[in-house]
Amino acid sequence: PVILKLLVIARNTFTEAIRQPVYAVIITCALLLFILSPSVTMYTLDEDIKLLREIGLSTLFLSGLFIAIFSATGAVTEEIETRTITTVLSKPVGRPTFLLGKFLGVAAAVALAHYVGTIALLMTIRHGVLETVTDTHDWPVIVSAAVALAITLLLTAFLNYTYDWPFGATGIVNLAILSTLGITFLAIVDKEWKLNPAQNKIELFEIYGSILLFMAVIIIVALAVMFSTRLNLVLTLVCCTSAFLIGLISDYVFGRFADTALWARVGKVIVPNFQVFWISDAIYEGAAVPARYLLIGVIYAVLYSAGILTLAIALFQKRQVG
């Protein structure tokens, strides 16, 4: 069945993606930034928590962006350049199935990394910034994070030494499981180690922001898959980075001319508007993110990604891979 073939390709792509050394390196760097961000933002007077939110969401977005680009380009471009793709396509596997399987596998790898980063973001916001000398550390957060990291390292080292499981991939999966237990504990325990879910300081704002950023990263995955069907690794990286940078200023470049110029209207449709997924204005204005806005952002990302994948399949159909 086509669905089974699709899932097999997606599973293999996911496994290959999380085993890449760059995958673990990016997540490790992101976690270090999350740990350091409360100390970095404590010198901004009254804007401490707002800046902490922005740095946290920026770290989450950039880590997902880099993982998406490197994983997606490696999943398709390297298989074409090394000719291993001919082995897959020589079997009863259609090119659309192959490409969609690659997309789903990379998207799953990005989702895993984004999930770990989101939990780290929630823990960071829960701890907050020590704005005055009378403020104290949120020790439940510190202990939960430290225990999750320590058990992850010990368990991963044991599995690597005993069963030769890959250290990076195993560590990320273990960390996802243990950090889930940690954030669940923090959801019901307050700063004073008391059962008090109402004071867990875990808000929908960060969760909505994380979902929107994940949708933006999924668009990057779709773009990387499309570019990699025709371009080599370096050009794919350049095109994805360019699309990301132009998408950040889409309103400025295209939006202000859309009413009078045809090229601006075309550009506004073709280039993804990543400002839709960034909630910086809501952070500094103290506004909430409505569920309706979240739904619109998700629909926009799904439709745009579907269009890009359709174009990618069309480009890949005529690609010579033998």
Side-chain angles (χ1 to χ4, degrees):
V2 175
I3 297 297
L4 180 60
K5 296 174 184 177
L6 183 70
L7 293 178
V8 169
I9 295 173
R11 183 194 63 188
N12 293 337
T13 303
F14 170 77
T15 303
E16 293 171 1
I18 65 175
R19 287 183 176 180
Q20 291 180 355
V22 68
Y23 184 84
V25 170
I26 292 174
I27 293 177
T28 301
C29 292
L31 292 178
L32 288 175
L33 287 175
F34 281 122
I35 293 172
L36 294 174
S37 57
S39 299
V40 174
T41 57
M42 69 191 321
Y43 304 105
T44 55
L45 299 179
D46 295 333
E47 302 293 327
D48 291 351
I49 191 63
K50 295 178 180 179
L51 183 59
L52 180 63
R53 275 194 169 104
E54 184 161 18
I55 290 178
L57 290 172
S58 299
T59 302
L60 187 63
F61 188 24
L62 291 177
S63 61
L65 173 71
F66 289 131
I67 289 175
I69 293 176
F70 282 111
S71 299
T73 52
V76 180
T77 304
E78 288 186 6
E79 291 219 21
I80 294 176
E81 292 180 350
T82 58
R83 306 293 178 89
T84 54
I85 190 175
T86 56
T87 305
V88 179
L89 296 182
S90 63
K91 299 176 181 180
V93 176
R95 293 193 179 202
T97 302
F98 172 82
L99 211 59
L100 290 176
K102 289 293 182 182
F103 169 77
L104 292 176
V106 173
V110 170
L112 176 61
H114 194 83
Y115 177 74
V116 173
T118 299
I119 292 179
L121 171 67
L122 294 176
M123 288 185 175
T124 302
I125 300 299
R126 155 74 187 260
H127 182 278
V129 182
L130 303 182
E131 298 179 343
T132 66
V133 294
T134 58
D135 291 335
T136 58
H137 291 286
D138 193 328
W139 285 106
V141 173
I142 296 174
V143 172
S144 298
V147 168
L149 288 172
I151 296 178
T152 295
L153 290 175
L154 292 174
L155 181 60
T156 304
F158 170 77
L159 294 173
N160 176 260
Y161 178 79
T162 306
Y163 302 104
D164 201 25
W165 289 12
F167 190 89
T170 306
I172 297 302
V173 173
N174 288 336
L175 182 59
I177 297 172
L178 291 168
S179 60
T180 300
L181 298 177
I183 198 65
T184 302
F185 172 75
L186 293 175
I188 60 176
V189 174
D190 64 10
K191 192 174 181 179
E192 305 300 327
W193 297 94
K194 298 178 181 178
L195 293 178
N196 190 5
Q199 297 296 322
N200 60 25
K201 296 182 180 180
I202 297 175
E203 301 178 7
L204 285 176
F205 185 90
E206 284 78 33
I207 297 175
Y208 283 3
S210 173
I211 294 173
L212 287 170
L213 292 181
F214 177 67
M215 291 295 103
V217 174
I218 289 299
I219 291 179
I220 294 293
V221 174
L223 287 171
V225 169
M226 182 191 70
F227 288 134
S228 61
T229 59
R230 288 287 177 173
L231 304 176
N232 60 29
L233 182 60
V234 175
L235 289 177
T236 299
L237 291 173
V238 171
C239 289
C240 287
T241 305
S242 301
F244 166 68
L245 294 176
I246 296 175
L248 285 179
I249 56 175
S250 175
D251 287 337
Y252 179 79
V253 175
F254 304 111
R256 56 181 180 153
F257 303 113
D259 295 333
T260 57
L262 177 62
W263 64 268
R265 288 196 293 271
V266 173
K268 189 176 181 180
V269 173
I270 294 178
V271 177
N273 187 356
F274 287 111
Q275 280 296 127
V276 172
F277 308 102
W278 185 243
I279 55 175
S280 178
D281 292 341
I283 292 175
Y284 286 98
E285 293 175 4
V289 179
R292 181 174 177 272
Y293 183 85
L294 175 67
L295 180 61
I296 292 173
V298 171
I299 293 174
Y300 173 72
V302 170
L303 292 178
Y304 190 90
S305 299
I308 292 298
L309 288 174
T310 302
L311 180 59
I313 291 172
L315 292 172
F316 193 52
Q317 286 293 95
K318 302 297 182 181
R319 173 67 190 268
Q320 180 65 37
V321 295

